[in-house]
Amino acid sequence: MVSRMRTRHFAQAKAEGRKISCLTAYDAPTAAIFDEAGIDLLLVGDSAANVVLGQDSTLSITVEEMMTMATAVARATQRAFVVTDLPFGSYEVSPAQALETAARFMKSTGVAAVKIEGGVEIAPTIRTLVDAGIPVMAHIGYTPQSEHALGGYVVQGRGEAAAQLRADALAVQEAGAFAVVLEMVPAGIAGEISRELRIPTIGIGAGPDTDGQVLVWTDAFGLTRGHTPRFARKYADVGAVLLDAARAYLADVESGDFPNESESFGDEK
Ligand code: KIV
């Protein structure tokens, strides 16, 4: 029996200078593969809106859609720490709203923590969740749920904005977050914040000096259709493998080569 990653293991990893590996996951088969590979943390990201559901932004994904995916991912893993995003509109109204939504996920999906976006302004909400026994991963820098307020898909924390980023990082740490995602921020400030914080920083487009890294798996392994961010190294071309497999199947069906005798049932018992 493999033992499950816990929040304390992330604190230990930071203390020992061991990098933390994170990937998104949205379904059981890929979650099982990433778990078998030894990825420490699987994030059921609301990026599912874009890369699984074909939507233009993360804004429209629902609590019910996220719960279905979170349940599948949690069920398929033995070791990885599973975190789910709370979707846009399900936690910003008040700490009480956030607690109600987070409790739904914690009761019925099997995830170990929730992730919410925002810095100083969301700190009281993080505190409420943590006080209720729910581990929270914070997310600052570029926060996709605020894409319109941020003026689009742009790097955050440059120049004078670095002070706000640092204040956000400190606020989520003091509110009790066990880790914080730093998305699309300059490598220099990401490294400085990582050294200043007690909690681990998990970077995405934040350079090499964060305590861990996260990527949207479809970007990293070649399944995203359309735009992939330039910071996402491509480790495989799963899309090309699937395309070849689908074409081979099509050809075999059309030619009558599939199914053959051993792939069919005879009359004998
Ligand atoms: O939804 C997501 O996949 C995320 C990662 C980009 C961190 O929030």
Side-chain angles (χ1 to χ4, degrees), residues 137-178:
M137 190 176 202
H139 183 161
I140 62 172
Y142 179 71
T143 45
Q145 293 176 5
S146 307
E147 62 167 277
H148 299 297
L150 295 175
Y153 191 61
V154 281
V155 175
Q156 303 294 306
R158 281 195 168 129
E160 288 176 6
Q164 183 59 51
L165 189 68
R166 186 173 266 115
D168 286 336
L170 282 170
V172 300
Q173 169 176 275
E174 294 320 309
F178 77 90

Side-chain angles (χ1 to χ4, degrees), residues 39-121:
I39 302 297
D40 297 316
L41 184 152
L42 293 182
L43 170 66
V44 186
D46 60 358
S47 51
N50 309 104
V51 301
V52 176
L53 303 180
Q55 292 162 351
D56 287 339
S57 82
T58 62
L59 300 182
S60 41
I61 201 159
T62 65
V63 168
E64 287 70 26
E65 286 164 338
M66 289 296 297
M67 285 183 82
T68 301
M69 290 184 276
T71 305
V73 170
R75 203 182 270 151
T77 56
Q78 292 179 22
R79 175 183 174 272
F81 189 83
V82 180
V83 181
T84 184
D85 264 326
L86 297 190
F88 175 69
S90 74
Y91 64 92
E92 302 89 335
V93 174
S94 64
Q97 185 209 23
L99 181 53
E100 201 176 313
T101 307
R104 283 184 68 191
F105 277 92
M106 300 302 289
K107 272 176 193 284
S108 64
T109 65
V111 301
V114 302
K115 177 164 83 57
I116 58 178
E117 298 185 1
V120 171
E121 76 291 356

Side-chain angles (χ1 to χ4, degrees), residues 153 183-184 204 215-216 219-220 224 226-233:
Y153 191 61
E183 179 163 357
M184 283 226 301
I204 174 162
L215 282 174
V216 170
D219 293 344
T224 297
H227 172 260
T228 53
R230 81 173 168 94
F231 55 74
R233 186 179 295 178

Side-chain angles (χ1 to χ4, degrees), residues 21-43:
S21 57
C22 316
L23 277 176
T24 63
Y26 314 105
D27 61 30
T30 49
I33 291 168
F34 302 157
D35 192 46
E36 189 181 335
I39 302 297
D40 297 316
L41 184 152
L42 293 182
L43 170 66

